[in-house]
Amino acid sequence: MDEWIEELRRIIPEKRVLTDLADRHSYSFDASFDEHLPDVVVQPKTKQETADVLKLANRYRIPVHPRGSGTCLSGGPLPVHGGIVLDMSQYPAEIHLRPRDLTVDVTPSVLTANINKAAEEHGLMYAPDPSSAHVATIGGNLAENSGGPRGLKYGVTKDHVLGLEVVTPEGEIIRTGGRTIKNVTGIDLTKLIVGSEGILGVIVGATLKLMPKPPAVQTLMVTFDEVRKAGEAISQTLTSGILPSKMEFMDQACVTAVEKFQPAGLPVDAAAVIIIELDGHPETLKVEKRLIEEIMEDMGALDVIIPKTNEEAAKLWHARKQVSPAIAKIKPTKVSEDATVPRSKIPDFMDRLQIIKEKYDVEVVAFGHAGDGNLHPNVLCDKRDVEEMKRVEKAVEEMFEAALELGGTLSGEHGIGTMKAPFMELELGEVGLDMMKRIKESWDPNGILNPGKVFPEKGQKLVLHHE
Amino acid sequence: MNSLLQEQLSYDKTFDCVQCGYCLPACPTYETMERETHSPRGRINLVKMVAEGKASVEDLKEPIEKCLGCMACTTVCPTNVQYGEILESAKHVIDEHEGKSRPRKLVENFMFQRFFPSTAWMDSLGHATWLYQSSGLKKVSQRFGLTKRAPLHIHEFEAVLPEMPSPKRRKSRAGRYVRKRPATAKVAFFKGCIMDSVFYETNQNTMELLLRSGAEVVFPDQQTCCGALHAHSGKVDASVELAKRNIEAFEEESFDYIVNNAGGCGARLIEYPHLFEKGTDWHSRASAFAANVKDISEVLVDLDGLRFEQSVPRTVTYQPSCHLRNVQKVTDAPVALLEKVPGLTLKQMDRPEFCCGSAGIYNIVNYEEAMDVLDVKMQDVCGVDPDGIVTSNPGCLLQMKLGVVREGAGDRMEAVHLVDVLMEADPQPKT
Ligand SMILES: Cc1cc2nc3c(=O)[nH]c(=O)nc-3n(C[C@H](O)[C@H](O)[C@H](O)COP(=O)(O)OP(=O)(O)OC[C@H]3O[C@@H](n4cnc5c(N)ncnc54)[C@H](O)[C@@H]3O)c2cc1C
Ligand code: SF4
Ligand code: SF4
């Protein structure tokens, strides 16, 4: 056995250093569809152990890839260069609430939904609500700067972080930020680490911001016969003095897929469906609900449906959650993108998707957080069909180009990881990308922390097929 | 790539898994064994890896053997992955590959070669236990810790077995009972091997409840083991054989219900159609059979023929059998019945859906792992501080009894079958 593995076994209890083939395969994937086999999986349970692993990795120049629950959609935790998968999911999960400060301290392995659950017991909430919150770790959320439907009103993960505890790539333990809402002491390292996809440090603790939980919510569903009208209605709503907590969009293909998968009574004849949630005081909600109804009628909506009971509302939101699994039934492989455009450009982007779909003869559906321009175009294909996958590659490439041309970005919340790395220069320009690289090089001089992510390797192209 | 292996391994079904990880928080072994290798997503991926020749059947063995088969993962999976089929295919391949671990082999050889094939085996298990208990052997061996030397921790289970009826009493049971004429329904009783041998009294109580509900109860003579344990051990052929015998046995007359009181058996019985190819005669016979299979709780709710007279001043928590809840999808009926018992307080524990670790013969062959799962379960049980744990499957019942002993709570807590609690409340016919 390699010397460095022997040494790992001396600093981490043996049963948390996994080298069996079955174990290694079990950490070779995430929710994207690539796979890479690590040499070892290490499961640290303290920050000191984490730091020790990184020190050793620096000495032997072994790549280390942090991993939470492995729900990443862009290949972030994959050990593309072998070496170590650093499994942070077994770190002891601790949630320390400070209700009077409206803050909470957490360890990296805590499942995000559990933070909100704990906060709700005190009339508070942790606002970021990615759909995967009940499975994903807060460490993964911080590293990906994840967001969810509520992002429209409350922002994404980075808007709720006050401070972090981080093990640097060289194995030192530092604290960034603090426990106060206001803090301008020095460069904001907290924001630098959040969203850095595990390439600048391993997060071992975080202080997060909580908010008062709104006393009531109101759901509405609006249907349109044209995608363009739906897009305009969204802009109109947001400029009329109302800020809904969620505005979710589904195209006809998604609605049809959901109805086939788990019928929820969604209108399959509409070209577009928007599900809206308002939150706030019950009296305010009554007024806002009426206003939205008026706006939607003015904008030519087919129908505005207001659920009568909480159960009916829950059913609509459940249907929204079913989109992702439902469309996976169209074809076995799902290439999920989350290119984001300025809100006013959603109809244009939808038009472009239609053209791409026809040009490459691929199955494309779109849904997502329309209120903030974060759409999820998904290409449904079969990864065993090499010829089809080559067409998919081209289609995806063109989708990125379309989003950028419309003034948007490659990724709203799923991260760059391995898949989107080849397109970074397109969005950032040569110098912009180089400035980012310089930050990475000064933080991680030996290049051992999560290599192969974010930055394209020489000549790297989007590859979705395996010959 | 080995296409034969791919076919045997339900390789195609593994593609339904999108690796979203939604099943991770539901899986007991992922929680207790603390690695993805022992999670549903990990196991499915390994099956795929083996089918693709990237890992060997040998690599698959441990992760598959340590799966409880509780199917909690299937209830949360958004893409409806057929984990049960993938698991059984993996077990079958491992069995053919003959690479099972020693304790599992030992138990299986004993059970499947010497015990199960015998037609009289159901009773003989009960008889042997009775002989053991009534002859005083039980006391002696308990006192001197004799059984402790037996392998596989049998002694732990032995200590919590109920008293057995004598062979004579067992034999005196008739094949058909009817009290109310005309009966409200005709019910065939699937007695279950472990239920009938180890929990004989509970079977008697089940029958009594049905009779008092106004039903006619029939014991088809030729019925045999449901085959669940065989299938869970990869013995596909044997389990198909048993299924055929049962289908035939229950075809002799027509029944409104084929009732059972063991969640694990019921789950197997309703899956009989999967054992046969669609379009074949056996497939349609199996489907007709499965359509009538119901758990005792559902039948009692359906018949709605009982009034409970006696107050049962207890605080209980309900531990659903995984196979009843996750495979048969029976969730409300047991609770509805318990709520009818006067004086009874029902408290829901945290995560009732978390497996107790019994899982067929899992707790015998994977004793340590099963006890880790049980300890998590007992923590949740103790969280509501009940004096009774109500279950609906013999394996769970034994395991929970063991859990009570492990907690040192024998003086304040007891595990009971749902049916026995209902009998305690003196049920009387409504009309
Ligand atoms: C069905 C489904 C729905 C989803 N919905 C959403 C959604 O609505 N919004 C959204 O934003 N995302 C969503 N995602 C994507 C994914 O859940 C998020 O990116 C999530 O934050 C990943 O968390 P994880 O714990 O699984 O991390 P992993 O997938 O294990 O890792 C993600 C990244 O974080 C790094 N990392 C993990 N832990 C640490 C740590 N402690 N320190 C440093 N780096 C670390 C890894 O190296 C990797 O780059 C969804 C995914 C799925 C499968
Ligand atoms: S929930 Fe289903 S699809 Fe998701 S990882 Fe588990 S088995 Fe696969
Ligand atoms: S059947 Fe139970 S133990 Fe096995 S993978 Fe599914 S949840 Fe885990």
Side-chain angles (χ1 to χ4, degrees):
Chain A
M1 183 158 300
D2 291 315
E3 193 187 329
W4 63 274
I5 300 180
E6 293 284 351
E7 203 173 319
L8 259 180
R9 288 188 197 281
R10 281 197 293 276
I11 58 174
I12 305 287
E14 221 165 293
K15 68 172 209 217
R16 291 193 269 114
V17 179
L18 322 180
T19 50
D20 284 353
L21 187 63
D23 291 323
R24 288 159 56 211
H25 269 301
S26 302
Y27 292 83
S28 67
F29 57 81
D30 62 2
S32 72
F33 62 83
D34 233 359
E35 74 190 50
H36 296 275
L37 201 60
D39 295 308
V40 190
V41 180
V42 184
Q43 303 176 301
K45 289 208 172 188
T46 65
K47 50 190 169 186
Q48 195 54 53
E49 284 181 0
T50 312
D52 290 346
V53 173
L54 284 168
K55 286 219 162 91
L56 178 143
N58 270 283
R59 261 188 289 123
Y60 289 94
R61 302 285 194 273
I62 306 292
V64 178
H65 309 86
R67 187 183 197 262
S69 294
T71 67
C72 189
L73 293 167
S74 55
L78 301 182
V80 286
H81 292 291
I84 298 173
V85 163
L86 195 66
D87 175 22
M88 300 302 287
S89 69
Q90 299 306 320
Y91 204 93
E94 285 167 28
I95 302 179
H96 295 294
L97 278 167
R98 266 185 247 98
R100 285 162 53 121
D101 292 342
L102 278 82
T103 64
V104 60
D105 287 344
V106 294
T107 50
S109 57
V110 169
L111 304 184
T112 306
N114 290 346
I115 305 174
N116 191 45
K117 226 185 270 165
E120 281 187 343
E121 281 171 25
H122 298 267
L124 301 172
M125 72 167 173
Y126 174 66
D129 59 342
S131 338
S132 52
H134 61 297
V135 209
T137 65
I138 185 68
N141 278 191
L142 289 160
E144 293 290 341
N145 189 15
S146 301
R150 280 206 293 233
L152 173 60
K153 182 166 184 176
Y154 298 102
V156 293
T157 302
K158 72 167 179 236
D159 302 307
H160 301 266
V161 191
L162 298 174
L164 292 176
E165 192 161 22
V166 178
V167 176
T168 68
E170 293 176 284
E172 305 299 335
I173 300 166
I174 60 165
R175 282 207 69 103
T176 71
R179 278 166 49 180
T180 55
I181 296 295
K182 293 189 162 185
N183 181 333
V184 293
T185 313
I187 295 179
D188 193 343
L189 292 183
T190 308
K191 287 256 156 70
L192 182 65
I193 301 284
V194 175
S196 68
E197 304 190 22
I199 68 170
L200 294 183
V202 182
I203 298 161
V204 287
T207 302
L208 308 171
K209 197 161 82 179
L210 301 175
M211 306 187 110
K213 181 176 184 284
V217 293
Q218 171 69 54
T219 296
L220 301 93
M221 177 166 77
V222 194
T223 62
F224 294 89
D225 57 0
E226 272 178 49
V227 174
R228 188 162 283 278
K229 279 190 199 160
E232 281 158 9
I234 290 168
S235 299
Q236 186 63 30
T237 309
L238 293 173
T239 50
S240 62
I242 302 175
L243 182 52
S245 50
K246 309 176 182 171
M247 280 186 115
E248 297 286 298
F249 168 88
M250 294 183 234
D251 71 3
Q252 193 165 17
C254 291
V255 171
T256 313
V258 171
E259 286 301 307
K260 258 200 203 147
F261 181 62
Q262 265 187 20
L266 298 180
V268 287
D269 48 353
V273 171
I274 308 176
I275 307 180
I276 302 172
E277 185 178 276
L278 303 164
D279 70 358
H281 193 277
E283 291 302 315
T284 320
L285 293 188
K286 278 189 199 151
V287 180
E288 290 189 347
K289 177 174 79 180
R290 220 186 43 241
L291 282 173
I292 292 205
E293 276 181 287
E294 283 166 16
I295 295 169
M296 293 302 165
E297 264 158 44
D298 286 350
M299 300 304 294
L302 284 178
D303 206 359
V304 181
I305 296 138
I306 298 174
K308 289 187 193 63
T309 59
N310 288 344
E311 289 75 46
E312 273 181 48
K315 211 169 145 192
L316 287 183
W317 287 107
H318 181 72
R320 161 65 185 86
K321 275 206 171 205
Q322 294 310 308
V323 171
S324 186
I327 59 174
K329 295 281 163 194
I330 300 176
K331 283 199 142 188
T333 308
K334 194 174 81 170
V335 180
S336 310
E337 287 312 329
D338 74 327
T340 301
V341 293
R343 300 177 230 225
S344 62
K345 299 288 187 209
I346 288 180
D348 295 338
F349 191 48
M350 291 295 296
D351 288 347
R352 293 286 291 267
L353 289 179
Q354 188 58 33
I355 296 170
I356 294 170
K357 180 177 159 173
E358 281 161 21
K359 182 167 167 194
Y360 295 105
D361 186 24
V362 286
E363 201 71 55
V364 182
V365 303
F367 65 97
H369 321 306
D372 52 24
N374 186 190
L375 275 189
H376 295 307
N378 276 261
V379 190
L380 289 319
C381 43
D382 187 339
K383 75 172 173 184
R384 288 164 288 191
D385 183 345
V386 175
E387 187 274 328
E388 181 183 27
M389 292 314 282
K390 286 184 180 163
R391 276 184 283 127
V392 174
E393 278 161 18
K394 293 225 176 70
V396 169
E397 226 176 285
E398 217 163 297
M399 266 183 219
F400 289 144
E401 281 161 14
L404 294 179
E405 274 167 35
L406 293 169
T409 178
L410 294 173
S411 174
E413 56 185 25
H414 294 167
I416 299 302
T418 52
M419 275 180 59
K420 280 165 249 174
F423 305 95
M424 286 289 275
E425 200 173 310
L426 205 59
E427 176 166 346
L428 299 168
E430 201 183 322
V431 182
L433 185 59
D434 187 53
M435 291 308 284
M436 273 194 195
K437 265 194 202 147
R438 289 196 216 175
I439 295 179
K440 164 70 174 167
E441 278 157 15
S442 64
W443 274 70
D444 183 13
N446 295 321
I448 57 115
L449 196 59
N450 216 2
K453 316 295 159 60
V454 184
F455 303 111
E457 314 208 337
K458 250 200 167 69
Q460 187 186 340
K461 279 211 162 115
L462 175 71
V463 180
L464 299 173
H465 70 277
H466 298 280
E467 300 274 357
Chain B
M1 246 181 250
N2 185 335
S3 61
L4 178 67
L5 205 54
Q6 290 192 356
E7 206 171 294
Q8 286 179 327
L9 275 175
S10 298
Y11 176 62
D12 275 348
K13 294 236 151 59
T14 64
F15 283 87
D16 290 339
C17 174
V18 294
Q19 305 192 320
C20 65
Y22 278 24
C23 51
L24 296 179
C27 177
T29 56
Y30 178 59
E31 179 167 327
T32 53
M33 298 177 74
E34 302 190 339
R35 58 182 75 170
E36 179 106 25
T37 326
H38 296 290
S39 76
R41 181 172 68 172
R43 290 177 174 127
I44 294 165
N45 181 60
L46 275 175
V47 168
K48 192 190 249 172
M49 293 299 107
V50 173
E52 290 178 358
K54 294 176 186 162
S56 67
V57 175
E58 192 61 28
D59 294 315
L60 191 60
K61 210 172 71 178
E62 213 216 332
I64 292 297
E65 279 187 10
K66 301 284 191 247
C67 169
L68 295 156
C70 70
M71 300 300 146
C73 45
T74 61
T75 64
V76 292
C77 174
T79 63
N80 205 5
V81 172
Q82 297 301 306
Y83 179 71
E85 282 182 44
I86 297 174
L87 177 68
E88 265 180 35
S89 75
K91 289 194 164 169
H92 184 52
V93 165
I94 293 170
D95 188 60
E96 296 224 312
H97 189 255
E98 281 186 344
K100 289 187 191 174
S101 60
R102 219 182 93 79
R104 178 168 271 276
K105 264 199 200 140
L106 247 158
V107 174
E108 284 183 1
N109 286 347
F110 173 67
M111 296 250 248
F112 299 124
Q113 285 169 25
R114 304 223 328 257
F115 220 63
F116 281 65
S118 124
T119 38
W121 75 270
M122 284 189 203
D123 289 350
S124 54
L125 173 60
H127 294 168
T129 318
W130 175 79
L131 187 71
Y132 178 72
Q133 289 182 345
S134 60
S135 64
L137 249 176
K138 178 178 175 182
K139 283 206 188 81
V140 175
S141 57
Q142 273 177 350
R143 217 164 96 218
F144 294 102
L146 269 185
T147 43
K148 282 211 175 114
R149 288 196 207 123
L152 307 169
H153 302 268
I154 298 285
H155 64 285
E156 309 258 350
F157 299 96
E158 190 282 315
V160 297
L161 290 180
E163 296 298 324
M164 294 292 139
S166 69
K168 199 167 143 225
R169 241 197 100 200
R170 215 179 260 284
K171 266 215 145 133
S172 67
R173 189 164 60 188
R176 183 180 302 267
Y177 293 87
V178 60
R179 248 178 238 164
K180 185 178 161 194
R181 285 176 211 274
T184 45
K186 192 158 143 197
V187 177
F189 190 28
F190 183 84
K191 51 190 184 171
C193 337
I194 313 277
M195 275 314 297
D196 210 50
S197 52
V198 181
F199 296 106
Y200 182 80
E201 291 303 333
T202 304
N203 264 4
Q204 295 297 93
N205 283 343
T206 304
M207 202 166 60
E208 188 60 32
L209 285 168
L210 288 166
L211 287 170
R212 290 190 196 181
S213 297
E216 171 182 355
V217 183
V218 181
F219 278 86
D221 218 22
Q222 296 303 314
Q223 62 176 299
T224 180
C225 169
C226 67
L229 296 180
H230 300 76
H232 298 162
S233 305
K235 315 260 179 228
V236 178
D237 296 345
S239 80
V240 170
E241 209 38 57
L242 292 169
K244 285 184 175 170
R245 275 166 56 193
N246 276 323
I247 294 168
E248 276 170 348
F250 286 82
E251 271 171 349
E252 307 235 308
E253 284 178 56
S254 74
F255 300 107
D256 298 312
Y257 303 101
I258 299 172
V259 68
N260 75 89
N261 59 9
C265 300
R268 189 65 205 167
L269 299 179
I270 65 162
E271 289 191 329
Y272 276 0
H274 297 322
L275 296 174
F276 305 100
E277 210 176 308
K278 275 202 184 110
T280 60
D281 179 44
W282 272 112
H283 184 266
S284 54
R285 287 167 76 180
S287 304
F289 172 88
N292 280 343
V293 170
K294 290 271 181 305
D295 184 67
I296 177 69
S297 60
E298 292 176 283
V299 176
L300 291 179
V301 167
D302 259 16
L303 295 177
D304 190 25
L306 297 173
R307 225 166 355 102
F308 296 96
E309 301 278 284
Q310 175 73 41
S311 168
V312 181
R314 290 209 206 184
T315 302
V316 301
T317 191
Y318 172 57
Q319 161 62 27
S321 136
C322 296
H323 286 139
L324 186 61
R325 178 184 183 275
N326 303 335
V327 182
Q328 297 187 69
K329 315 264 186 228
V330 174
T331 50
D332 300 340
V335 175
L337 290 170
L338 285 171
E339 279 171 349
K340 282 195 185 153
V341 173
L344 192 83
T345 312
L346 184 62
K347 275 198 189 165
Q348 198 189 73
M349 70 178 106
D350 200 21
R351 300 195 295 172
E353 69 282 358
F354 192 90
C355 180
C356 66
S358 136
I361 54 170
Y362 187 94
N363 51 0
I364 301 178
V365 282
N366 299 305
Y367 180 79
E368 303 291 335
E369 290 81 4
M371 292 306 119
D372 288 345
V373 173
L374 177 59
D375 290 344
V376 174
K377 173 95 277 170
M378 287 311 292
Q379 252 178 17
D380 290 339
V381 167
C382 292
V384 291
D385 195 24
D387 43 52
I389 309 166
V390 180
T391 73
S392 44
N393 181 54
C396 308
L397 185 52
L398 270 180
Q399 178 85 341
M400 295 314 297
K401 282 176 183 285
L402 196 60
V404 170
V405 172
R406 281 173 74 85
E407 278 299 314
D411 53 340
R412 61 187 158 91
M413 215 186 275
E414 180 191 20
V416 280
H417 194 288
L418 172 69
V419 158
D420 298 331
V421 179
L422 296 181
M423 275 309 282
E424 223 181 299
D426 187 21
Q428 292 302 328
K430 265 190 180 166
T431 46

